[in-house]
Amino acid sequence: TTVTGTRGRSAAVAIAALVIAAGIPLWWKTTETYRAWLPAARISELEALQLELRVEVEVVFARGTLSPEQQKKVPASRITYESCCKSKSLCLVEADHALHTLTETSCGSVVIYIIPEASALLPQDMRVYVGRSRTALLRSQVASVVGAGLPEVLAALDPQMEQVLQTMSFNHQDVTAALTDRLRPGLSTRDSLADSMRAFKSSPGYEITFSLLNPDPKHHQLHWDVEAALDAYIYPLLHKMAPVANFSVDSQILYYAVLGVNPRYDASASAYTLSADSLAHVINPVEARLGSNAASSNPVLNFLLYVPDSLHSPLIIRNDQKQEVASNAFHSPRWGGIMVYNVDGAYGNDTQFPVDIAIDMSRVMGVFLSQLRLMLGFQQTGAPPGFVLEAAGREGVAEWELDRLLWSRSVENVATASASITSLAQLLDQIANIVINDNIAQQVASAVTALQAAVAELEAGNLALALEHSREAISASERAFFDPSLLHLLYFPDDQKFAIYIPLFLPMCVPILLSLLKIFREVQQHRAEKRAKRD
Amino acid sequence: MPTLTLASARSPFRDEFAEELAIRPLHSGDIHASFQFRTVWGVDLLQATDPRFLRYAILPREIVCTENLTPWKKLLPCGSKAGLAVLLKSEKLFHSSYFSQAVHIRPVCQGMHCTVPSWEMRQTLNVVFDLYTSGQGKREWSMFKIKIYVDVTDSPQGELFELSPPTPLLSQAVVLGDRRTYSVYDLTDPGTFGKVRSLNLLVRWKADNGDMLRPLLHGERYVAGFGLQTGEIHTLIYNNHPYRAFPVLLLETVPWYLRLYIHTLTVTSKNRENKPSYIHYQPSKDRLRPHLLEMLVQLPPNSVTEVTVQFERALLKWTEYPPDPNHGFYVGSSVLSALVPSLVAMDTNITQEHPLFSSFFLCKEESSYFMRVYTEPLLVNLPTPDFSMPYNVICLTCTVVAVGYGSFYNLLTRTFQVEEPSQSLAKRLANVIRRWRGVPQL
């Protein structure tokens, strides 16, 4: 019996060892969900991200601003500019254009020209002139005192230069406004908050729709040459903004479209008026008819041109102070703008209806262009006193204004992308049963790489590259976050798993455990007998 | 970036819009109303159309309701605020026996030389108002409040029905190979209205007899067979022309989960085999592409042609089944296209004013017209497994494995111990009897 006993015991121990050593790992491996590896360490670094923005500034001292010994201390000197600034009859714009051709400014950099106090280029009360393309002229107010070293001169110029940079690149309010998603409220001023709520959030593309609303086709036969007007006014701006987003433009004419409010007749102005508080109700009934592109999920900007019907002409809009609005237009934040175009002056009482009316597109496009600028994020906050900002040229936006927008967009993109990546990583951590496919891991990895590259470029001051990387980061993070395979939760609750495994594992494990227990008790007994024998 | 304008100053051809309503009283007392809207744009939307990129798609089952009518009305330039579209009220339209709406967009030529291609969008809405649901059983129908055409061919002298108010304008048009006479009410002409500012059109039926002309080409389709494994698709094509035979093109698109056996494809007319003059078949690929079968069949006059093909139903993957309460799987209708010979010569002068419903398919040949007929969609059931079986199988196999393993384990680890054998019950009984008999025990 001892032979069978030992054979039985060794068989039981061997089976138990096999089950524990090989069975359990095999079962664990074959029943785990496929989770591709995510760079968790880099993602947790993103949570404590510190952004450093660097602007490249080039300061050029004109002749007469520095004494000769100060001039010697200036590291690099450039003398070629003198030839263009000599002639006194140069006007400001030409000087700006000539200076612009001298230096090749990269995106995000600023060049400040310091001109002597007695210079006739700027009028008396103007301290700073900001040109159309990243250059500024600053009137030096430090008289060239003999004996003052270069550091003192620079220190005296510092506050003025800082003001110039804050106007041309970014300031604290801009950056906090761009980061409103991740910051506590209350940190931004009222003006910048209004600006940030008016502009659309950063998006890879925008759809712009121009609509002509004609509520009275029986009397007015309207003609608008919208294609030519778009070519002349809107497309230059959109081409300039190509690095920021893709734009798609379309137009339509709607008949029998009425406003939601009945305007009241004002005898003093002999016109129908829309007061400021009724404007909010105007948009709703029209919006149902506007339509949008069903194939894209980009935000839509609507610009409507409303020609009032003959019974309610002319129609004027009154603002909060009950004054007439000069452009007869208003806009709604993050939606678009509406302009009212009165045609009652074009015909008399006894003309034959319908009357052919051609719409003056230059007036209309001027209003829409300024509204478009506001919607896209070009801020309206005014310049500090003593500054003169050159009006934007044919494209409708100056280079430094575009740079400002690029700074705030890059910061916003970086903040949004890091927010989505960190929340995605947290979600995947918490739910241990979600299958993570290879393509999601790849998107996350590329998003993290692009984010880090964007942050590095922002620190180095390369704005164009930083914007490109931040756009890549955002698109990759959105694609990873909204992937449909993550929503299809292919998991089984724990009690179902137990219900499936018990019919197999319980009958297998119970004999093993019992025999191990029996062996253990026998060994104990044997040891007790041995001890009793010895004693 | 495309822009869409309705008045483009650059093109010499201006955009146009026309609308029409044709009413045809049927013998049974029902009214068939057909609305036609045509928008022509003077711009070339797509620079070239390449026939290699032709696609055909079909959605077999869609329950049509106001949700389909409202965006359709939005495509009209004035929506439902002006014009004939004001008459389209969804409560009236969907209380009908038959309802169909369509949008067709295609490039057209303006003038004979086709120098400037322009694009045309036609929206059509056909509805058959039932006698009993809309007319409340009275044999009288009125519609009030452009051009309205009323088909008076069947009662030239007023025998079948009477139309009021009477109109002297009569026009003739050839529709579907049949020359029909129409009373025209021109809504843009103030003389139509008379003193009252609205037009009240009243149709009162007088006689009850008469039958309608059957259409020259129509088709039917059904699934035959029993069980959930195999079946047969039958397509019946009727040619009711008394003496002319004509070819018809049959296009069938069958989803991949009905595996067609093309070697069983048979075409018979009048109980004799009818070999198609052209067959194009593209086999299906599972989950990628359906079957595509195109055949050109010559239909003998006054006959029924039957096309049959056998199929086998496929088993789908477990995530592809619809939820438990479902109708089944729908198979799209097949399309019959034919140039049907007509008995009446058509007017080939395109510049003349034609009603919209007759100028949809223009063809040069004088003695035939083009017709496209859709059969009914089919409803099939696919074999659906019992979805609780995986759990049952797991439990059963786990139990069997555990029982087998248990006996194997027993063999390996069982130890034997010696025990005093106890006598069996029979021996004990026998000993009791021996003791009583006084004989020595076992």
Side-chain angles (χ1 to χ4, degrees):
Chain A
T1 52
T2 43
V3 172
T4 50
T6 34
R7 192 187 66 191
R9 270 201 296 275
S10 45
V13 171
I15 288 181
L18 192 70
V19 164
I20 292 174
I24 290 185
L26 192 71
W27 166 72
W28 188 262
K29 202 74 182 51
T30 49
T31 54
E32 71 176 5
T33 51
Y34 179 72
R35 289 172 78 98
W37 178 82
L38 291 180
R42 290 162 77 189
I43 294 177
S44 50
E45 267 174 40
L46 285 178
E47 274 197 65
L49 195 60
Q50 301 263 10
L51 274 182
E52 193 181 301
L53 306 175
R54 177 193 293 238
V55 182
E56 240 180 66
V57 182
E58 199 176 315
V59 180
V60 181
F61 287 94
R63 179 190 288 200
T65 41
L66 287 180
S67 63
E69 65 263 13
Q70 287 165 345
Q71 228 170 33
K72 282 195 206 105
K73 297 238 185 85
V74 173
S77 60
R78 205 186 288 265
I79 2 177
T80 46
Y81 66 90
E82 287 189 19
S83 53
C84 70
C85 293
K86 272 209 184 119
S87 144
K88 283 212 182 88
S89 56
L90 263 185
C91 78
L92 213 48
V93 181
E94 290 167 9
D96 176 51
H97 184 70
L99 287 172
H100 170 56
T101 53
L102 276 182
T103 53
E104 206 31 72
T105 46
S106 66
C107 186
S109 60
V110 175
V111 183
I112 304 185
Y113 291 91
I114 316 274
I115 56 176
E117 196 160 345
S119 166
L121 211 52
L122 290 175
Q124 274 305 104
D125 47 353
M126 205 195 295
R127 266 188 312 125
V128 178
Y129 167 79
V130 178
R132 208 171 281 175
S133 59
R134 301 193 188 112
T135 53
L137 297 176
L138 177 61
R139 190 201 296 274
S140 152
Q141 281 172 341
V142 175
S144 37
V145 176
V146 177
L150 186 60
E152 281 93 17
V153 173
L154 286 177
L157 281 174
D158 250 351
Q160 297 174 50
M161 287 212 290
E162 208 178 297
Q163 234 184 6
V164 172
L165 283 176
Q166 283 190 346
T167 316
M168 286 180 73
S169 289
F170 53 85
N171 52 20
H172 187 65
Q173 273 85 32
D174 291 346
V175 178
T176 42
L179 291 173
T180 38
D181 267 348
R182 305 202 79 187
L183 291 179
R184 301 186 310 271
L187 278 182
S188 41
T189 63
R190 194 167 173 273
D191 277 338
S192 63
L193 196 65
D195 268 340
S196 72
M197 289 206 306
R198 178 191 295 127
F200 275 87
K201 286 239 148 266
S202 169
S203 159
Y206 296 95
E207 310 248 331
I208 306 181
T209 308
F210 291 90
S211 316
L212 171 66
L213 303 178
N214 186 359
D216 200 5
K218 291 201 185 72
H219 293 115
H220 300 141
Q221 181 104 310
L222 300 172
H223 302 290
W224 71 336
D225 192 5
V226 65
E227 274 190 59
L230 285 177
D231 274 333
Y233 294 92
I234 305 285
Y235 285 156
L237 172 64
L238 297 184
H239 281 141
K240 214 160 160 79
M241 289 199 61
V244 180
N246 299 324
F247 292 93
S248 113
V249 183
D250 44 53
S251 64
Q252 60 179 343
I253 302 185
L254 293 176
Y255 295 104
Y256 292 105
V258 290
L259 298 180
V261 259
N262 272 328
R264 251 178 298 139
Y265 187 70
D266 187 5
S268 61
S270 68
Y272 289 85
T273 56
L274 278 178
S275 61
D277 41 359
S278 64
L279 291 178
H281 308 293
V282 163
I283 298 179
N284 252 348
V286 182
E287 186 158 12
R289 293 192 59 186
L290 285 178
S292 61
N293 189 357
S296 83
S297 55
N298 290 330
V300 181
L301 287 87
N302 291 297
F303 292 101
L304 293 107
L305 182 64
Y306 180 73
V307 175
D309 47 332
S310 53
L311 293 173
H312 289 108
S313 273
L315 181 62
I316 54 178
I317 299 181
R318 288 234 155 98
N319 61 7
D320 287 321
Q321 286 85 29
K322 304 278 185 252
Q323 289 161 345
E324 234 179 83
V325 176
S327 58
N328 219 12
F330 67 98
H331 70 270
S332 171
R334 294 198 185 164
W335 185 83
I338 301 186
M339 175 172 177
V340 177
Y341 188 91
N342 291 314
V343 292
D344 56 318
Y347 55 89
N349 261 343
D350 50 351
T351 39
Q352 206 196 15
F353 290 119
V355 183
D356 272 322
I357 299 171
I359 296 188
D360 177 19
M361 293 309 289
S362 57
R363 209 178 95 200
V364 171
M365 279 298 159
V367 173
F368 282 158
L369 187 61
S370 59
Q371 286 178 343
L372 182 63
R373 275 179 47 126
L374 288 174
M375 297 276 146
L376 288 177
F378 295 102
Q379 280 147 358
Q380 214 187 18
T381 47
F387 275 57
V388 165
L389 306 175
E390 173 70 35
R394 192 179 165 265
E395 281 114 3
V397 67
E399 302 267 350
W400 57 270
E401 277 182 312
L402 188 60
D403 282 353
R404 258 186 102 143
L405 181 68
L406 295 187
W407 283 113
S408 60
R409 281 276 189 253
S410 320
V411 169
E412 199 185 325
N413 285 349
V414 165
T416 317
S418 67
S420 351
I421 297 265
T422 43
S423 60
L424 178 65
Q426 266 177 357
L427 174 81
L428 292 177
D429 238 355
Q430 272 177 350
I431 306 184
N433 278 316
I434 293 187
V435 177
I436 305 180
N437 285 325
D438 279 331
N439 65 324
I440 296 176
Q442 196 196 17
Q443 293 289 340
V444 171
S446 70
V448 172
T449 319
L451 254 184
Q452 287 173 337
V455 171
E457 298 287 357
L458 279 178
E459 275 182 41
N462 303 326
L463 185 55
L465 284 175
L467 182 73
E468 218 182 281
H469 285 300
S470 68
R471 276 183 77 182
E472 256 179 61
I474 264 212
S475 69
S477 66
E478 298 279 300
R479 239 177 288 144
F481 196 82
F482 290 113
D483 195 83
S485 74
L486 284 182
L487 295 174
H488 185 205
L489 286 177
L490 206 67
Y491 72 100
F492 298 98
D494 283 334
D495 44 353
Q496 279 192 19
K497 270 200 266 191
F498 286 140
I500 290 180
Y501 291 141
I502 281 181
L504 180 66
F505 289 140
L506 201 65
M508 290 180 85
C509 292
V510 166
I512 294 181
L513 285 174
L514 286 179
S515 41
L516 282 180
L517 223 61
K518 200 173 81 164
I519 292 173
F520 182 66
R521 250 188 267 125
E522 278 181 6
V523 166
Q524 284 259 18
Q525 214 179 19
H526 194 67
R527 275 213 206 125
E529 279 174 5
K530 258 200 191 161
R531 231 178 289 138
K533 267 198 200 156
R534 259 191 281 132
D535 296 343
Chain B
M1 294 178 235
T3 61
L4 212 64
T5 56
L6 267 190
S8 170
R10 282 193 248 173
S11 66
F13 175 69
R14 278 187 60 130
D15 307 327
E16 262 184 20
F17 177 72
E19 54 185 7
E20 222 174 62
L21 166 62
I23 300 177
R24 183 168 166 185
L26 303 173
H27 289 76
S28 54
D30 302 332
I31 293 276
H32 170 238
S34 165
F35 292 81
Q36 307 256 344
F37 303 93
R38 181 177 184 246
T39 314
V40 182
W41 293 296
V43 289
D44 195 8
L45 292 180
L46 289 177
Q47 262 60 48
T49 47
D50 194 338
R52 287 175 302 168
F53 295 121
L54 179 70
R55 295 284 183 267
Y56 174 72
I58 186 162
L59 181 68
R61 167 91 170 169
E62 162 100 1
I63 304 176
V64 178
C65 65
T66 0
E67 306 242 334
N68 303 90
L69 186 64
T70 313
W72 187 91
K73 283 199 283 189
K74 273 194 189 171
L75 289 176
L76 301 169
C78 292
S80 47
K81 303 276 178 60
L84 282 177
V86 176
L87 297 170
L88 298 174
K89 295 271 181 284
S90 48
E91 313 90 42
K92 283 276 149 59
L93 284 178
F94 292 107
H95 276 99
S96 55
S97 308
Y98 174 81
F99 176 83
S100 138
Q101 70 184 48
V103 178
H104 305 267
I105 302 182
R106 61 181 184 176
V108 291
C109 285
Q110 297 300 325
M112 297 293 293
H113 303 289
C114 206
T115 42
V116 175
S118 49
W119 283 76
E120 170 197 82
M121 174 172 77
R122 265 192 206 251
Q123 290 170 261
T124 61
L125 196 141
N126 291 300
V127 60
V128 175
F129 289 108
D130 203 343
L131 164 70
Y132 292 101
T133 55
S134 61
Q136 281 101 35
K138 292 186 293 206
R139 292 184 69 88
E140 144 176 333
W141 183 89
S142 89
M143 181 219 77
F144 59 95
K145 268 194 164 191
I146 22 211
K147 283 193 175 166
I148 302 188
Y149 290 81
V150 184
D151 188 344
V152 295
T153 323
D154 292 325
S155 94
Q157 309 302 332
E159 315 110 15
L160 186 57
F161 55 82
E162 179 193 316
L163 193 60
S164 108
T167 165
L169 285 173
L170 282 177
S171 92
Q172 293 210 327
V174 181
V175 178
L176 294 183
D178 195 13
R179 188 173 285 281
R180 306 202 73 87
T181 318
Y182 289 90
S183 300
V184 183
Y185 294 89
D186 195 352
L187 292 179
T188 53
D189 179 14
T192 322
F193 293 93
K195 294 219 183 62
V196 193
R197 295 243 12 227
S198 61
L199 171 70
N200 189 356
L201 197 66
L202 186 61
V203 177
R204 206 178 291 122
W205 273 268
K206 287 216 228 143
D208 211 358
N209 53 1
D211 52 0
M212 286 190 54
L213 193 64
R214 275 191 308 170
L216 290 180
L217 172 71
H218 67 101
E220 269 172 23
R221 196 171 177 221
Y222 58 89
V223 171
F226 60 91
L228 285 178
Q229 189 178 3
T230 54
E232 233 176 62
I233 298 184
H234 292 247
T235 311
L236 297 168
I237 312 174
Y238 294 85
N239 176 7
N240 295 316
H241 200 287
Y243 53 85
R244 288 281 298 268
F246 55 89
V248 71
L249 186 68
L250 169 68
L251 172 73
E252 284 206 23
T253 315
V254 179
W256 64 269
Y257 41 79
L258 299 184
R259 304 191 201 275
L260 297 180
Y261 291 122
I262 295 296
H263 72 279
T264 57
L265 176 71
T266 54
V267 184
T268 46
S269 327
K270 289 184 175 169
N271 294 325
R272 271 194 334 209
E273 203 197 310
N274 182 357
K275 197 154 154 13
S277 35
Y278 167 76
I279 300 188
H280 168 65
Y281 174 65
Q282 191 184 49
S284 68
K285 274 199 184 155
D286 273 7
R287 298 176 187 87
L288 287 180
R289 209 168 61 190
H291 300 269
L292 180 71
L293 178 64
E294 253 187 303
M295 289 194 300
L296 188 66
V297 183
Q298 190 80 7
L299 302 178
N302 210 11
S303 67
V304 182
T305 307
E306 185 167 341
V307 178
T308 58
V309 61
Q310 288 179 10
F311 65 88
E312 185 189 59
R313 301 170 209 237
L315 200 62
L316 302 178
K317 292 189 181 168
W318 68 290
T319 48
E320 293 172 355
Y321 282 100
D324 271 343
N326 62 74
H327 277 159
F329 289 82
Y330 283 95
V331 178
S333 29
S334 45
V335 187
L336 303 165
S337 324
L339 270 178
V340 183
S342 87
L343 308 159
V344 177
M346 252 188 68
D347 198 354
T348 55
N349 190 357
I350 10 180
T351 56
Q352 205 186 42
E353 180 76 23
H354 278 293
L356 284 180
F357 50 82
S358 72
S359 67
F360 193 64
F361 292 114
L362 280 181
C363 55
K364 285 274 191 201
E365 219 197 278
E366 278 130 23
S367 62
S368 59
Y369 60 93
F370 178 75
M371 192 156 131
R372 180 171 281 155
V373 179
Y374 293 88
T375 60
E376 311 97 321
L378 301 175
L379 183 60
V380 292
N381 274 319
L382 290 186
T384 310
D386 179 6
F387 288 111
S388 64
M389 279 313 287
Y391 174 72
N392 295 341
V393 167
I394 289 175
C395 286
L396 189 66
T397 46
C398 288
T399 312
V400 167
V401 165
V403 165
Y405 163 81
S407 37
F408 182 68
Y409 187 81
N410 245 357
L411 279 175
L412 285 180
T413 60
R414 187 163 39 194
T415 54
F416 293 97
Q417 290 172 340
V418 178
E419 231 180 58
E420 273 296 320
S422 63
Q423 282 182 326
S424 67
L425 183 64
K427 280 206 180 142
R428 268 192 270 147
L429 270 178
N431 277 341
V432 166
I433 295 172
R434 281 190 175 213
R435 229 188 302 147
W436 181 69
R437 282 176 59 193
V439 176
Q441 293 175 356
L442 292 167

